[in-house]
Each structure stands twice: as C-alpha cells, then as structure tokens.
Amino acid sequence: MNIGIFGTGHFALAIGYLINLNKHRITFIGRDASQLRELKEKKRNSKYHSYIFENGLETKSLENYISGFDILFYCLPSSCLQLIRYDKNIPIIFTCKGFSKDFIFNTFSNYGILSGGSYSSEIMNNIPCYMTISSNKDELCSLVSHVIKSKQCILSFNNQPSSIELLGIFKNILAIFCGIINELGMGKNIEAAFLSKIIKKLNKIIDFDEASFIEPAGIGDMFLSCSSTKSRNYSFGKNLMTKKTEPDSNTLVEGFISLRNMKQNLNNDFIIDLNIIIEKIINNYSSEDIKEEILKIIY
Amino acid sequence: MNIGIFGTGHFALAIGYLINLNKHRITFIGRDASQLRELKEKKRNSKYHSYIFENGLETKSLENYISGFDILFYCLPSSCLQLIRYDKNIPIIFTCKGFSKDFIFNTFSNYGILSGGSYSSEIMNNIPCYMTISSNKDELCSLVSHVIKSKQCILSFNNQPSSIELLGIFKNILAIFCGIINELGMGKNIEAAFLSKIIKKLNKIIDFDEASFIEPAGIGDMFLSCSSTKSRNYSFGKNLMTKKTEPDSNTLVEGFISLRNMKQNLNNDFIIDLNIIIEKIINNYSSEDIKEEILKIIY
C-alpha cells in the first residue's frame, strides 16, 4: 500500500519504522527541507535517530496538496493542523495529542486516532508497543491494522474516538499537574486523587465513555506520562514550580498549550479552574495558595 | 455512632484516625495483646505510628464474638478472614486487597469495599485522601460517608463492589509485574502494555465493569502501586528478579499470595499464565525465558 506520513519528527519516524516492517511504501511529508533531503538521499533523519530505513521511501513538501495515498498518518503537533491540504477521500489517522482551536472529532469525519503508551525511542529500538486505534468506522481500524500491526505493534480496536482524543489531550495536562503536585511535596495521595478526580470530570467536556479508559490510549499512556520524569510534560510541571515564570515559547509542551487553547475556545468552568492554577504559579503566588487551588479541584 | 475496627496495623490506625476526626466511638478488635493494651492505656500504637487518639477508644480481642456495633471495618489481611466471628446483621466494610480462598463478593452479603490511592502514613500526617466506597446498597455507602467523610477523606460512591474488589487484588499483582518488567529493563512501553492488557483481561475472571476503572480504587490506587518504589509489591517484584529464590514467608506481599491462592481456587488460564512467570523466576530460568513469557501475555 501507499502510505503518507505528515511529519519527520520522533513519532513520524517511529510510525514509518512500524509501517516499513510490513513492507508498505512510505512518503514523509514535511516542512524542513534539509531533513527531507537527508531522508530522501540517506534514508534516515539523523536529527532524531540513527535508524536507516530498509525499504524505499519518498518525501514531499508540506506545501503540496496531498493526494494519491491509500491512507495518511498525521504525526505533526496539533498546532499544524491548519497547514495540511489533502484529498478528504483519503482516511487520515491522527497521533497528535493536543488541542489547538477545536477537537479533531469536530473537524474531521473520515479519520481515526492512534494512541497508546509508546515511547518512539523504544519503538525504534525494537521494543514492542501496544496502542489503541479508534474510529467510528470498523473498516478504518482494520485498514490501520493491515498497515501497521506486527509483533512490534499490538493494536486494540476502539470505536469511541472522541473519548480517546480527550484522553490523549488530558494525559499531557495531567502529567504537568502530577509534576507540580510532586514538586509541592503534597504527597502521593493527592497526586492519585487529582488524577482520579480529573478523569471523573471529563464528562463535563464531552459525553465521555468511561470504559475507554482501560485502553492502552487511557491507562497505558497515562501511566507512562504521569509517573516518569522521562515525560516532558511531567518535568515541565516540576520546572514550572521551581522557576515560577512564564516558560519561553521554545520549552512549551503540548499539555500547557492545550490547556490555554481550551480556555480560549471552550466555555468550561473546570478548564478555567485548571488554568487558574497555572496562572497563579506563573504569577508567583505562594506555595500555600497553589496547594489550596489544587485541593479545590479535589474537593 | 459505635464503630468496630478489625485490626491494629497501619491501615486500621488510619481508618481509626479518620473516624475519630468525626467524633465517633471506636473499638479496635485485634490479636496482639500488647498492642491492644497500649491502645487502651496510652491511646496509641507506637509500633506503627506516634499518633495519640484524641477521643476515647476501646479495645477487644479478636477471639470474641463481635456484636453491638453500628458498623464494622475490616482492616486485617485477607488471610485472616476466617478468624472473625460477628453478628451478620452489622454491615461490614473491607479494606483488605488480597484473595484468600474466595472473593469477598461470594462470601458476604451485607458488606462494602473501601479502597483508593491512600498511603496510611500520609493519612495520619493529615494529607487528604480520595477513596471509593462500593456497595450494592446505596444506604451502606451513605452510612460509611457519615462515619468517615471529612476534609481529610473524600469519597466516591460506586455500586460495583465485585469489580472494585478485583481491582484491589490486581493493583498489587500488577505492581509486582511492573517491578519485574522494570528490573528486566524491557522498557516503559512493555510496562504500560502489560498493565493495559491485564486490565482488559479482568473480564475473564468476573463480569468486570470497565467504567469502574476510573474510580480512585482503580486508576488512583494503581497509579500509587505501580509507579512507585515506595510500593511494597513493586519492590517485591524487583527483588524477586535480582534474588530469584522463593521469598521467605515473612517477606511475602499480598499480590504474591493472592496470585498463588487464585491459581489454587479458580480455574483460569490467565491466572495460570501469570503464575508461570513467577515460578520461572523462582526456578531461575534465564531472563530471556522470563521476557518471552511476559511478551506472551501482551500478544
């Protein structure tokens, strides 16, 4: 099959790696001309990984109108969603985990979400991953399975893509707050309580399917992000507490951006409450004030 | 109200502490005569904590037939379930998280399960906790709330006690395996995959309510046990891999005991597969063999 991948970063390469194992033809569609050139000529992107693709690969500039593929994978940040132009008859699979102006489920129809506890570095070091492919269309889940499933990539099928999308966004947000609570020394009970309370409140945003939380895209992904200093969002939360200044735009992480974007685009008290905590940290309120705001979420 | 607490250990004291905050009368019902004497005379159990109970407390020996209480809390290990004799008209709330000969839901009727991410040491240092009270009877949830709910103890009501019981048992078992996988250096993807796969397989044991996993007794408790070296079961898993010998009976942890007891008392392939991994570790199989067995669970 003929597969297009939007992106040339960590996760785009990992997805390409998995698809390449199944001998499908891949095309990386990217922005950075030098990375595209290296991919085309040397079959690798040394900025992110030393892996050399064994089978053929093509490249294309993101500026093109994209058509002629059997399926597309979107592995760019959510903030670039506006940049892609493609034939809407082609099914597209999103791996991004952020919120830009609106939810994916409100914006696209012929789509799926691929998500799960999967560090790209581990995938490319041949460590198997277990992911959820979620779509309203069963045949789209089967198509993705045909393209990407192998001993290195185990898939769970799910038909609640809006819930899976929300879990992806919130695993990053929750990781930031776990980092903050940890840095505040409030105790593991509070970290666990905060996590459970937020999950319980997701139905204030959409008609959330609670059973989807047992998916690799739920517990699996959250486990990775919220418990490990390896997680960028978790470390970001810890750093936010120690530095207490507005992070510069280079070090922003997806959870932080999503939270701010959701405040601007959704009218939701619970999102506002979470933003208040972040704003109080940045505006140098005392630890006691921050702790009080965190406890308000729990009560 | 008049509350009886089976046990004098860490969690019995934490439950007593929470109930005491609400000024109810408590009676510790225990086995160890010297601990009971200290509790009676000095209002504390210095073996576990320095906290001195502010309100009056009584003590009773576990050998007595127990009656005359409004509600009972069972805070002993699951292995002691056979030891208690009490008036079955009194509702009883279980906080234990093990499997002895059968499930609590098969053995008791007028009961509830209290469970959640709550380290007893943090509770007694005044850090709030968020727990699930689960019962088939709504009025029993309300009664427990009346007895124990406060700013220090936030409760979530749930009516799927068999699922909550199973999650309690499995959070200990899963923590052992996360410790094992971590010690094997198999990668975070595999830890996350193992966790999600096992949760998905719980319906092979009972008619598992997946939505209950969003409870503090689900994600909250699992987060605490599976991600932290503070957790006894997690450390036990790591030690099992390094020592590779049958642990002596003093260092056994609840997850290990539950897994062995379930093998003996339930006829379930999935439980047998988990036991095989533990047995191969104890019988000094190579790391490669153990890894292969772990991957079998994931595929």
Side-chain angles (χ1 to χ4, degrees):
Chain A
M1 294 185 81
N2 195 9
I3 323 286
I5 299 171
F6 287 108
T8 55
H10 280 122
F11 209 69
L13 295 173
I15 291 292
Y17 172 86
L18 291 172
I19 296 173
N20 225 225
L21 290 179
N22 288 350
K23 317 266 185 224
H24 298 291
R25 268 185 298 157
I26 55 176
T27 300
F28 287 103
I29 307 155
R31 291 174 288 180
D32 185 302
S34 71
Q35 287 179 40
L36 288 175
R37 198 177 319 115
E38 192 188 5
L39 274 166
K40 176 89 173 169
E41 290 170 7
K42 302 194 172 160
K43 294 184 174 186
R44 69 172 188 206
N45 183 353
S46 54
K47 184 174 175 195
Y48 298 110
H49 207 279
S50 59
Y51 175 75
I52 297 170
F53 285 87
E54 284 173 20
N55 301 308
L57 65 82
E58 297 293 324
T59 58
K60 250 191 161 66
S61 165
L62 195 63
E63 288 159 14
N64 293 307
Y65 176 81
I66 303 300
S67 63
F69 290 100
D70 296 307
I71 186 166
L72 291 165
F73 286 81
Y74 180 93
C75 308
L76 289 165
S78 306
S79 55
C80 299
L81 277 168
Q82 325 288 327
L83 301 182
I84 60 170
R85 294 178 308 116
Y86 71 101
D87 175 357
K88 293 292 191 309
N89 292 312
I90 309 173
I92 184 165
I93 307 301
F94 294 95
T95 67
C96 53
K97 286 168 186 171
F99 180 95
S100 186
K101 287 206 161 49
D102 200 349
F103 290 107
I104 287 167
F105 66 80
N106 279 335
T107 318
F108 295 85
S109 57
N110 189 17
Y111 83 101
I113 307 265
L114 183 67
S115 171
S118 50
Y119 282 130
S120 54
S121 57
E122 294 192 355
I123 291 176
M124 295 190 75
N125 288 328
N126 227 25
I127 293 174
C129 62
Y130 180 35
M131 291 196 278
T132 302
I133 171 65
S134 184
S135 172
N136 290 322
K137 302 177 177 182
D138 289 348
E139 65 275 18
L140 187 44
C141 292
S142 303
L143 179 63
V144 172
S145 176
H146 174 72
V147 169
I148 208 170
K149 191 182 166 190
S150 68
K151 279 203 87 168
Q152 300 314 115
C153 178
I154 310 142
L155 287 179
S156 167
F157 284 19
N158 173 284
N159 59 4
Q160 302 281 341
S162 55
S163 294
I164 295 297
E165 182 182 354
L166 199 65
L167 282 169
I169 297 167
F170 268 86
K171 71 119 196 175
N172 284 333
I173 295 175
L174 276 167
I176 293 178
F177 282 98
C178 284
I180 291 170
I181 295 170
N182 187 280
E183 193 61 38
L184 282 165
M186 292 179 82
K188 278 284 174 190
N189 288 2
I190 300 291
E191 266 184 75
F194 195 87
L195 220 118
S196 329
K197 270 280 173 175
I198 297 294
I199 306 286
K200 283 212 158 205
K201 286 183 181 183
L202 293 184
N203 60 13
K204 293 184 186 293
I205 304 177
I206 63 164
D207 181 18
F208 179 67
D209 173 52
E210 298 180 339
S212 287
F213 191 51
I214 73 158
E215 284 295 319
I219 171 66
D221 216 2
M222 210 153 284
F223 173 74
L224 246 61
S225 297
C226 295
S227 70
S228 161
T229 44
K230 246 186 171 179
S231 149
R232 271 204 303 168
N233 286 280
Y234 186 89
S235 309
F236 178 85
K238 282 182 80 81
N239 289 335
L240 201 60
M241 267 317 297
T242 44
K243 293 178 189 154
K244 292 188 175 182
T245 50
E246 170 93 40
D248 69 73
S249 56
N250 292 323
T251 59
L252 289 182
V253 298
E254 202 139 38
F256 180 87
I257 298 167
S258 296
L259 198 55
R260 208 166 51 182
N261 288 342
M262 281 199 284
K263 188 184 75 172
Q264 278 157 12
N265 294 284
L266 306 174
N267 185 13
N268 187 297
D269 286 348
F270 148 58
I271 298 294
I272 292 170
D273 291 343
L274 291 176
N275 270 286
I276 286 173
I277 301 176
I278 302 288
E279 282 155 22
K280 287 203 168 176
I281 295 172
I282 291 172
N283 290 313
N284 217 2
Y285 279 62
S286 74
S287 294
E288 290 316 306
D289 286 327
I290 314 294
K291 285 181 188 175
E292 202 176 297
E293 291 295 337
I294 286 168
L295 289 176
K296 267 190 212 164
I297 300 274
I298 293 170
Y299 288 128
Chain B
M1 295 183 79
N2 195 9
I3 322 286
I5 299 170
F6 288 109
T8 55
H10 280 120
F11 209 70
L13 295 172
I15 291 292
Y17 171 86
L18 291 172
I19 296 173
N20 224 223
L21 290 178
N22 288 350
K23 318 265 184 226
H24 298 289
R25 268 183 298 158
I26 55 176
T27 301
F28 286 103
I29 306 156
R31 292 173 288 179
D32 185 302
S34 72
Q35 288 180 39
L36 289 174
R37 198 177 318 115
E38 191 188 3
L39 273 166
K40 175 91 176 169
E41 289 171 6
K42 303 194 172 161
K43 295 185 175 184
R44 69 172 187 207
N45 183 353
S46 53
K47 184 174 175 195
Y48 297 109
H49 208 278
S50 59
Y51 175 76
I52 296 169
F53 285 87
E54 284 173 18
N55 301 309
L57 66 82
E58 297 293 324
T59 59
K60 249 191 162 64
S61 165
L62 195 64
E63 289 158 14
N64 294 308
Y65 177 82
I66 302 300
S67 63
F69 290 100
D70 295 307
I71 186 166
L72 290 165
F73 285 81
Y74 180 92
C75 308
L76 289 165
S78 307
S79 55
C80 299
L81 277 168
Q82 325 288 327
L83 301 181
I84 59 169
R85 294 178 308 118
Y86 71 100
D87 176 356
K88 292 293 190 309
N89 293 312
I90 309 173
I92 183 165
I93 307 301
F94 295 95
T95 67
C96 51
K97 286 169 187 170
F99 180 96
S100 186
K101 286 204 163 52
D102 200 349
F103 290 108
I104 286 167
F105 67 78
N106 279 334
T107 319
F108 295 85
S109 55
N110 189 18
Y111 82 101
I113 308 266
L114 182 67
S115 172
S118 50
Y119 282 130
S120 54
S121 57
E122 293 191 356
I123 291 176
M124 296 188 76
N125 289 328
N126 226 26
I127 294 175
C129 61
Y130 180 37
M131 291 197 278
T132 303
I133 172 66
S134 184
S135 172
N136 290 322
K137 302 177 176 183
D138 289 348
E139 66 275 19
L140 186 44
C141 291
S142 302
L143 178 64
V144 171
S145 176
H146 174 74
V147 169
I148 209 170
K149 191 183 165 189
S150 68
K151 279 203 86 166
Q152 301 312 116
C153 178
I154 309 141
L155 288 180
S156 167
F157 284 18
N158 172 283
N159 60 4
Q160 300 281 343
S162 56
S163 293
I164 295 297
E165 181 182 356
L166 200 64
L167 282 169
I169 297 168
F170 267 86
K171 70 117 195 178
N172 283 332
I173 293 174
L174 276 167
I176 294 177
F177 282 98
C178 284
I180 291 170
I181 294 169
N182 186 278
E183 192 61 37
L184 281 165
M186 292 179 81
K188 278 284 174 188
N189 288 2
I190 301 289
E191 266 182 75
F194 196 89
L195 221 117
S196 329
K197 269 280 172 175
I198 297 292
I199 305 287
K200 283 211 157 204
K201 286 185 180 182
L202 292 184
N203 60 13
K204 292 184 186 292
I205 304 177
I206 64 165
D207 181 17
F208 179 66
D209 173 51
E210 298 180 339
S212 288
F213 191 51
I214 72 158
E215 284 294 319
I219 172 64
D221 216 1
M222 211 152 285
F223 174 73
L224 246 63
S225 296
C226 293
S227 71
S228 161
T229 46
K230 244 184 171 180
S231 148
R232 271 203 303 168
N233 286 279
Y234 186 88
S235 308
F236 178 84
K238 282 181 81 79
N239 288 334
L240 201 60
M241 267 316 297
T242 44
K243 292 180 188 150
K244 292 188 175 184
T245 50
E246 168 92 44
D248 69 72
S249 56
N250 292 324
T251 58
L252 289 182
V253 299
E254 204 139 39
F256 180 86
I257 298 168
S258 296
L259 197 56
R260 209 166 50 184
N261 288 343
M262 282 199 282
K263 187 184 75 171
Q264 279 157 11
N265 294 282
L266 307 174
N267 185 12
N268 188 297
D269 286 347
F270 149 57
I271 297 295
I272 292 170
D273 291 343
L274 291 176
N275 270 284
I276 286 172
I277 302 176
I278 302 288
E279 280 155 24
K280 286 202 168 176
I281 296 172
I282 291 171
N283 290 314
N284 216 4
Y285 279 61
S286 74
S287 293
E288 291 316 306
D289 286 327
I290 313 296
K291 285 180 188 176
E292 202 176 297
E293 291 295 338
I294 286 168
L295 290 176
K296 268 190 211 162
I297 300 274
I298 293 170
Y299 287 128

